[in-house]
Amino acid sequence: MNKAVKEIRMVDLKLQYQRLKAEIDAAMAEVINSTQFIKGPQVKTFENNLATYLGAKHVIGCANGTDSLQIAMMALGLQEGDEVITASFTYVATAEVIALLKLKPVLVEVNPDTFTIDPSAIEAAITPKTKAIVPVHLFGQCADMEAIMKIAAKHNLYVIEDNAQAIGADYIFTNGGKKKSGTIGTVGSTSFFPSKNLGCYGDGGALNTNDDELAKKMRMVANHGQSIQYVHDEIGVNSRLDTLQAAVLDVKLKYLDDFASRRRSVADFYDNAFKGLQNVQTPVRAQNSSHVFHQYTLLLKDGNRDEVRKKLETKGIPNMIYYPIPLHKQKAYLTAGSFPITEELCKNVLSLPIHTEFEKEELEFIANEFLEAIK
Ligand SMILES: *Cc1c(COP(=O)(O)O)cnc(C)c1O
């Protein structure tokens, strides 16, 4: 490993903390001194600030991103056997909660360029039992929401946007209008897992909606199904955003756009370094979305991904495969049907380090070693 280069991390939370330490420490100390660890005032403050940032009427904090998907599906009253359409190429949580609630996950293919759910595949998968669509805004850019909302309106379906990887991205409508990712469907759900673009210092998640009734229902479901203390009209869950996490998030929310622009400059650097390569597809930027680069994911076309990975590792360059096994081939979610694009992606994608704290020399080192590794 090049001695001039410090340890390269996939995500550098340490350097980011050191940069924001004064503010974060003060915010955390305030919570600890108040001892209001649950339902402290910082939770409401953060929910309000995030609602303003997103341009959403309601934000409801919860314990993690997986819970946020579950709470949305429970609050929408989805019933056993209802079909929920989602992408075959995603993190397991999306399909997991559908199955957990005894709904039926219906997986559909993704677009080979943007890797987000293919609207024509959604349309083809609709049956009389279909109740909802869960598009995933994968790796930091929005799925084709305009097409998805059209299908949803035509078939009277709910749309739950899995916005865990794209918070802060803009969806750009054909008429040029913009909305924040997660605010176009019936409900948006997100995760504040530490490595996400807006990450806390533990687990956290949130839901957003413009529907007053649904917001009330989601708050109730997240709080043991109670509307008034000790009155339980429905079965709920216990899923709260801790005050300490809300305090950290409220500090980091101010920097979310700055984080995105730092990530984008890393992506621009890589794009430029890998321009014109025949055997590598750099991330395709969708026309209808800004990209906040939760991941920088390449597609290697020579079928040599695992060798490339090994070479990078010997040089001290971490890298990841999001995602190595398609959902339809996971034992828990075995699905008949053919998903050739998803299978191709699982075999050939490679994500390079991307975060908010890179220096140019490190990026040069990574890019040069990558160019060596694919030779
Ligand atoms: C991270 C993630 C989740 C789950 O979030 P957790 O906070 O880890 O529960 C759900 N969906 C997607 C697409 C994710 O990336």
Side-chain angles (χ1 to χ4, degrees):
M1 186 176 160
N2 183 341
K3 284 281 185 293
V5 174
K6 57 181 182 277
E7 187 196 341
I8 294 170
R9 300 189 177 98
M10 200 64 199
V11 180
D12 206 322
L13 298 175
K14 203 164 193 169
L15 286 175
Q16 191 191 66
Y17 168 62
Q18 282 162 1
R19 194 157 59 80
L20 306 177
K21 185 175 180 352
E23 273 184 277
I24 287 178
D25 286 1
M28 291 185 86
E30 195 182 326
V31 177
I32 296 167
N33 284 320
S34 77
T35 68
Q36 277 191 275
F37 298 113
I38 300 292
K39 285 191 189 161
Q42 288 85 349
V43 178
K44 193 85 232 155
T45 304
F46 170 66
E47 288 177 344
N48 289 338
N49 288 340
L50 182 58
T52 304
Y53 174 86
L54 292 174
K57 203 162 167 197
H58 306 278
V59 165
I60 297 132
C62 66
N64 58 68
T66 309
D67 275 8
S68 68
L69 289 164
Q70 179 176 340
I71 292 162
M73 288 177 206
M74 289 173 74
L76 288 169
L78 302 187
Q79 298 293 321
E80 186 166 343
D82 286 349
E83 293 179 6
V84 178
I85 296 175
T86 194
S88 51
F89 187 60
T90 180
Y91 182 55
V92 67
T94 322
E96 181 180 44
V97 295
I98 301 171
L100 189 72
L101 294 172
K102 298 193 159 46
L103 313 170
K104 185 173 172 219
V106 176
L107 305 177
V108 303
E109 269 287 23
V110 294
N111 178 301
D113 296 325
T114 60
F115 310 160
T116 55
I117 197 164
D118 176 354
S120 62
I122 296 177
E123 185 103 60
I126 290 173
T127 77
K129 286 188 167 173
T130 308
K131 289 287 154 53
I133 307 167
V134 186
V136 181
H137 301 322
L138 201 74
F139 299 157
Q141 64 184 349
C142 299
D144 185 353
M145 288 306 293
E146 242 164 323
I148 293 167
M149 293 311 288
K150 225 180 251 169
I151 295 167
K154 184 169 151 199
H155 297 275
N156 200 20
L157 307 174
Y158 299 122
V159 176
I160 302 166
E161 291 176 68
D162 185 341
N163 194 28
Q165 299 189 5
I167 193 161
D170 287 314
Y171 185 81
I172 304 152
F173 289 84
T174 320
N175 68 9
K178 284 183 188 174
K179 275 189 180 177
K180 283 289 176 200
S181 66
T183 65
I184 300 151
T186 322
V187 46
S189 92
T190 199
S191 163
F192 304 125
F193 187 81
S195 63
K196 300 280 155 104
N197 286 32
L198 180 60
C200 60
Y201 288 181
D203 275 310
L207 294 137
N208 63 269
T209 185
N210 293 329
D211 180 328
D212 298 344
E213 275 307 304
L214 180 61
K216 226 159 108 187
K217 194 94 189 277
M218 292 195 297
R219 259 191 208 288
M220 202 168 95
V221 169
N223 186 27
H224 299 289
Q226 69 185 13
S227 47
I228 306 163
Q229 199 170 22
Y230 305 122
V231 179
H232 303 273
D233 301 330
E234 314 226 357
I235 297 173
V237 294
N238 172 21
S239 186
R240 289 181 287 241
L241 182 64
D242 289 351
T243 317
L244 273 169
Q245 302 306 343
V248 171
L249 288 166
D250 204 43
V251 171
K252 290 179 77 173
L253 178 59
K254 289 185 287 185
Y255 298 96
L256 183 58
D257 288 341
D258 174 60
F259 293 163
S261 91
R262 286 164 177 260
R263 287 174 174 275
R264 224 172 273 131
S265 28
V266 174
D268 289 344
F269 184 96
Y270 287 147
D271 276 0
N272 201 40
F274 308 147
K275 205 163 45 194
L277 294 175
Q278 295 301 308
N279 49 353
V280 176
Q281 178 183 305
T282 55
V284 174
R285 308 201 186 191
Q287 293 269 318
N288 51 10
S289 177
S290 71
H291 204 322
V292 294
F293 284 99
H294 176 58
Q295 299 297 343
Y296 185 87
T297 303
L298 298 161
L299 189 62
L300 306 190
K301 296 179 178 171
D302 283 349
N304 60 346
R305 181 192 57 197
D306 297 332
E307 289 155 54
V308 172
R309 287 199 81 184
K310 275 198 202 105
K311 288 185 192 163
L312 290 175
E313 271 150 27
T314 60
K315 302 289 180 181
I317 298 172
N319 57 84
M320 294 290 281
I321 297 172
Y322 303 111
Y323 297 93
I325 305 172
L327 274 183
H328 66 280
K329 292 204 163 163
Q330 299 281 5
K331 208 167 151 196
Y333 304 99
L334 284 178
T335 306
S338 159
F339 301 88
I341 298 165
T342 296
E343 290 185 26
E344 180 78 13
L345 295 180
C346 290
K347 264 189 216 127
N348 295 314
V349 287
L350 182 71
S351 299
L352 292 183
I354 191 161
H355 57 69
T356 57
E357 312 300 318
F358 269 119
E359 280 164 26
K360 192 154 172 258
E361 306 80 74
E362 296 172 283
L363 293 174
E364 278 164 355
F365 174 68
I366 297 170
N368 289 337
E369 293 299 342
F370 177 77
L371 291 169
E372 272 302 308
I374 57 162
K375 268 188 187 158

